Amino acid sequence: MTQKDITFVADFLTEHFNEAPELYNRKGKYFNVERVGQYLKDEDDDLVSPPNTEGNQWFNFLKDSTHLKESPLLFPYYPEKSLHFVKRQMEGVIDQCLRKPADVIGKSVHQAACMSLYKISQSEDSTPQLSKLPFLWNDKTSNLHYVLFTVLENSISKIHILRRHTDTSRSVSNGILAVEFGNFLNNSINESSDSRCYSCLDAHFYDDETVTVVLKESVQQEGKERVLAQLPLS
């Protein structure tokens, strides 16, 4: 060990293993063995060994700032409390902040339309996941809202696009269509008589006029082909 290492160990022992008579009547150990654990205890008691904030630049900055000192935007600091205590305090504040918006937004949401996408057997114990992705896109120029999704049960080679006007009061017909990829790539250099079917791994809108899809070759073998395709929405 170098002399510097020995100094570090000596400083640690000097700081953490001194007797502390003032703590004899307090809950906890008589020696300041470890300062980290006290922050993690899930209790409301004050810390046995609170941190020394003297010289802390952030606290000095707040103390000298007339505008920030009493600002409601800053979360209060509890130097005598554990992290569990602070966490509970913060959760309470966040819950209070979100309660009113949740109430207002919840009352403003209503069903605009209902479409039947698929049916499942009534005898099934649990409902399987029959749809995935959905990816949402809002065309602000045309005031149209799009939803991309796939139905897994019997149309893995199709992607569905649902369109709705963002203004629910307008009598604009809803549009829903399915794009089937199937074996449209059989004109490639590897053309064969085999039915090469493709399923959609993922899909997103690239912009207001283009949809980007990731396709996977639906064959039971290694080295399945992946295709990145850009489809014009028109």
Side-chain angles (χ1 to χ4, degrees), residues 191-207:
E191 183 175 1
S192 66
S193 58
D194 298 338
S195 177
R196 297 173 63 209
C197 193
Y198 290 83
S199 59
C200 181
L201 283 178
D202 199 2
H204 283 68
F205 267 81
Y206 181 76
D207 54 28

Side-chain angles (χ1 to χ4, degrees), residues 128-139:
Q129 180 193 7
L130 291 180
S131 65
K132 72 170 187 175
L133 306 166
F135 177 75
L136 310 179
W137 179 266
N138 182 242
D139 183 352

Side-chain angles (χ1 to χ4, degrees), residues 20-30:
E22 69 276 7
L23 301 180
Y24 287 174
N25 295 325
R26 293 279 302 275
K27 183 179 179 181
K29 297 184 180 299
Y30 294 158

Side-chain angles (χ1 to χ4, degrees), residues 81-142:
K81 298 296 184 180
S82 72
L83 292 178
H84 279 282
F85 176 86
V86 176
K87 175 176 176 286
R88 284 196 299 271
Q89 294 289 317
M90 183 174 288
E91 286 175 340
V93 173
I94 293 175
D95 183 63
Q96 185 178 3
C97 291
L98 296 180
R99 195 174 297 136
K100 184 66 175 178
D103 185 52
V104 173
I105 294 172
K107 290 179 179 178
S108 68
V109 172
H110 63 278
Q111 178 178 299
C114 181
M115 292 184 181
S116 178
L117 298 178
Y118 52 80
K119 293 181 179 180
I120 59 173
S121 172
Q122 297 290 335
S123 61
E124 293 186 28
D125 297 331
S126 60
T127 305
Q129 180 193 7
L130 291 180
S131 65
K132 72 170 187 175
L133 306 166
F135 177 75
L136 310 179
W137 179 266
N138 182 242
D139 183 352
K140 295 182 174 62
T141 305
S142 304

